[in-house]
């Protein structure tokens, strides 16, 4: 016996009529009442199908429970993809038809307090466990219902773990430790899925335990190994379109909470104005993440975000030049996420640029190395620690490459 549509609809109506959550036990109870006289074997089969239909993420649940999974993508009933750290691969998961995918998407959207139907054919929300949900219904999604789930593993990695995994070299690890110790303000840049949040969480674990961290996030992703953390998470509007709390709202609130370091998990819009303002009002060591294809493109990316809040180009550059000192750019290649570049935010007239100070590719120190050394030394970092991190005497860093190599043994 299979869970036919008539039986499934009766079970769905009973579950919807109750205020109780659709737990496995509740689904089993309703199914027994609606299925009538069914043998034990048939009942177990029906129960498995019903739990797949009504509980959790249905047939996607085993993929989401796997600790290695970062993304699950559904392009249709017969096309499910999963990323478990080595790039996308096709999963052995199938849905009966597109209606089943649509029902799952609508159920997950409802669980997040959002609406998903023909009048509102897409949704972008966070589930209770932090999983980020995105879904698009036909005919906007031309071929079939598309469902995207990004799994947020709230696990903090130490810097040593990242170094052992090859995410950053020993020299880079030494540099970022000095950047944190010197309380330089920094932004972590990179593309989608490049590991910006993981890198930021690891760096926050290096902050002095006596400092108070106030985190502002769109979704609760950061989980730094630090004893004094206050988390503020944005909230989307409900099905009636009310109750939204934006990152911009939260940044303003965070400034009144006596932060030693203000952290914005991901700067996506006009909240960049509040972040830069906060960094310019005595909150040393502030940080955040920004989507950018390279460190050099950071100013242009922030220009676009600042424009959303009415900040013109010259004002944005002025704010950025005074607010942040360092850019850490992470990249993803071949399934591995690495710190690819450390840059220094430098002013030239009214404009801001990012000078390379260190690069993962073998190369002499970039033009920003001397400037980074100057910034760190100005915050009390000793010559010995600077040399250990690859920032030797300032005169050698500022020499032309040929002269510097001529002196080398």
């Amino acid at each position: 016996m299979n869970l036919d549509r008539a039986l499934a609809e009766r079970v769905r109506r009973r579950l919807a009529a109750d205020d109780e959550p659709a737990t496995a036990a509740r689904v089993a109870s309703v199914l027994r009442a609606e299925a009538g006289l069914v043998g034990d074997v048939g009942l177990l089969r029906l129960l498995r199908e019903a739990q797949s239909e009504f509980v959790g993420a249905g047939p996607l649940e085993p993929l989401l429970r796997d600790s290695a999974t970062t993304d699950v993508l559904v392009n249709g009933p017969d096309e499910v993809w999963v990323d478990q750290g080595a790039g996308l691969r096709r999963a052995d998961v199938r849905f009966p038809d597109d209606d089943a995918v649509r029902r799952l998407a609508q159920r997950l959207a409802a669980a997040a307090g959002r609406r998903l139907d023909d009048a509102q054919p897409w949704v972008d929300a966070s589930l209770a466990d932090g999983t980020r949900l995105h879904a698009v219904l036909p005919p906007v999604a031309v071929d079939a219902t598309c469902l995207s789930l990004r799994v947020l593993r709230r696990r903090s990695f130490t810097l040593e773990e990242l170094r052992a995994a090859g995410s950053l070299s020993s020299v880079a690890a030494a540099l970022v430790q000095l950047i944190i110790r010197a309380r330089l303000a920094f932004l972590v840049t990179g593309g989608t899925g490049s590991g910006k949040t993981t890198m930021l969480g690891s760096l926050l674990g290096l902050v002095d335990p006596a400092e108070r961290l106030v985190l502002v996030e769109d979704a609760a992703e950061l989980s730094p190994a630090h004893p004094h953390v206050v988390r503020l998470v944005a909230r989307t509007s409900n099905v009636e379109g009310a109750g939204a709390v934006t990152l911009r709202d939260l940044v303003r609130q965070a400034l009144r909470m006596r932060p030693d370091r203000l952290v914005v998990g991901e700067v996506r819009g006009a909240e960049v104005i509040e972040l830069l303002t906060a960094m310019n009002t005595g909150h040393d060591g502030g940080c955040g993440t920004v989507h950018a294809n390279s460190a050099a493109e950071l100013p242009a990316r922030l220009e676009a975000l600042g424009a959303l809040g009415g900040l013109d180009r010259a004002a944005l550059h002025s704010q950025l030049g005074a607010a942040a000192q360092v850019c850490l750019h992470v990249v993803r290649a071949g399934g591995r996420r690495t710190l690819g570049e450390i840059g220094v935010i430098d002013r030239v007239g009214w404009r801001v640029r990012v000078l390379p100070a260190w690069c993962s590719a073998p190369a002499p120190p970039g033009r920003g190395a001397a400037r980074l050394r100057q910034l760190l030394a100005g915050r009390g970092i000793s010559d010995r620690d600077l040399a250990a991190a690859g920032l030797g005497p300032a005169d050698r860093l500022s020499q032309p490459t040929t002269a510097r190599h001529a002196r080398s043994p």
Side-chain angles (χ1 to χ4, degrees):
M1 181 177 183
N2 293 322
L3 186 69
D4 60 36
R5 292 193 177 185
L7 177 57
E9 188 58 34
R10 293 200 303 273
V11 173
R12 185 179 293 108
R13 283 199 300 267
R14 286 276 295 267
L15 291 172
D18 294 335
D19 292 332
E20 300 177 46
T23 62
R26 180 60 184 154
V27 170
S29 175
V30 172
L31 184 61
R32 288 191 190 96
E34 292 292 338
L37 295 175
V38 181
D40 291 342
V41 175
L43 183 61
L44 286 174
R45 184 183 303 112
L46 285 176
L47 182 56
R48 282 194 295 269
E49 293 184 31
Q51 289 180 347
S52 176
E53 177 79 15
F54 301 114
V55 180
L60 303 181
E61 194 68 31
L63 295 176
L64 295 174
R65 283 201 303 263
D66 192 314
S67 60
T69 299
T70 59
D71 295 88
V72 176
L73 311 174
V74 182
N75 299 343
D78 299 320
E79 193 174 338
V80 178
W81 298 80
V82 61
D83 188 341
Q84 296 180 319
L88 289 171
R89 66 172 179 82
R90 202 154 184 168
D92 296 327
V93 175
R94 299 290 183 272
F95 288 83
D97 50 36
D98 191 59
D99 284 343
V101 183
R102 181 188 179 104
R103 288 195 300 271
L104 173 60
Q106 290 178 316
R107 178 160 56 80
L108 294 176
R114 303 299 297 276
R115 173 183 172 187
L116 182 64
D117 52 33
D118 291 337
Q120 179 59 53
W122 61 78
V123 67
D124 187 4
S126 295
L127 302 179
D129 63 356
T131 299
R132 296 173 71 168
L133 161 72
H134 186 271
V136 186
L137 301 180
V140 177
V142 176
D143 297 318
T145 300
C146 291
L147 179 61
S148 305
L149 295 165
R150 167 156 288 187
V151 184
L152 305 181
R153 305 294 183 193
R154 290 187 59 181
R155 180 196 185 286
S156 58
F157 291 87
T158 65
L159 205 65
E160 181 57 32
E161 285 176 318
L162 292 186
R163 192 195 64 76
S167 293
L168 73 170
S169 68
S170 298
V171 172
L175 284 172
V176 296
Q177 288 181 75
L178 295 184
I179 289 168
I180 296 295
R181 203 170 101 200
R183 294 182 58 83
L184 296 181
F186 64 92
L187 295 171
V188 181
T189 60
T192 300
S194 58
K196 300 185 296 298
T197 300
T198 299
M199 181 63 66
L200 179 57
S202 298
L203 298 181
L204 294 176
L206 302 174
V207 172
D208 188 329
E211 296 184 30
R212 172 179 168 93
L213 306 181
V214 180
L215 313 185
V216 176
E217 298 181 86
D218 194 35
E221 299 182 58
L222 287 168
S223 184
H226 192 277
H228 195 164
V229 177
V230 178
R231 296 181 177 87
L232 303 178
V233 179
R235 185 178 68 190
T236 57
S237 58
N238 58 24
V239 291
E240 298 175 349
V245 178
T246 67
L247 282 180
R248 196 169 188 181
D249 296 328
L250 294 181
V251 171
R252 291 174 180 171
Q253 301 310 310
L255 291 175
R256 295 169 173 81
M257 299 175 69
R258 200 259 181 218
D260 287 309
R261 297 198 191 222
L262 175 61
V263 182
V264 179
E266 186 170 341
V267 178
R268 295 186 178 192
E271 67 274 1
V272 68
I273 299 174
E274 274 69 29
L275 176 63
L276 295 179
T277 300
M279 290 180 173
N280 279 311
T281 54
H283 293 85
D284 287 347
C287 51
T289 70
V290 182
H291 276 84
N293 293 327
S294 68
E297 292 181 20
L298 173 63
R301 175 63 175 158
L302 293 184
E303 279 181 29
L305 298 180
L308 297 175
L311 196 66
D312 64 35
R313 188 183 185 194
L316 183 283
H317 279 254
S318 177
Q319 289 273 63
L320 175 59
Q325 290 88 41
V326 175
C327 172
L328 307 176
H329 186 70
V330 293
V331 296
R332 180 176 182 177
R336 173 174 289 183
R337 301 169 175 88
T338 61
L339 178 62
E341 183 181 346
I342 299 176
V344 175
I345 297 172
D346 183 58
R347 260 183 171 171
V348 181
W350 66 269
R351 298 187 63 182
V352 167
R353 60 181 178 175
V354 178
L355 299 178
W358 174 88
C359 183
S360 59
R367 291 177 296 164
R371 176 60 179 153
L372 179 58
R373 187 188 197 283
Q374 181 184 22
L375 288 169
L376 293 171
R379 297 291 182 97
I381 304 300
S382 68
D383 288 344
R384 180 179 178 179
D385 288 341
L386 290 169
L391 296 176
D395 59 337
R396 293 198 176 189
L397 288 174
S398 60
Q399 292 287 333
T401 302
T402 53
R404 184 167 61 251
H405 284 294
R407 269 198 212 93
S408 301

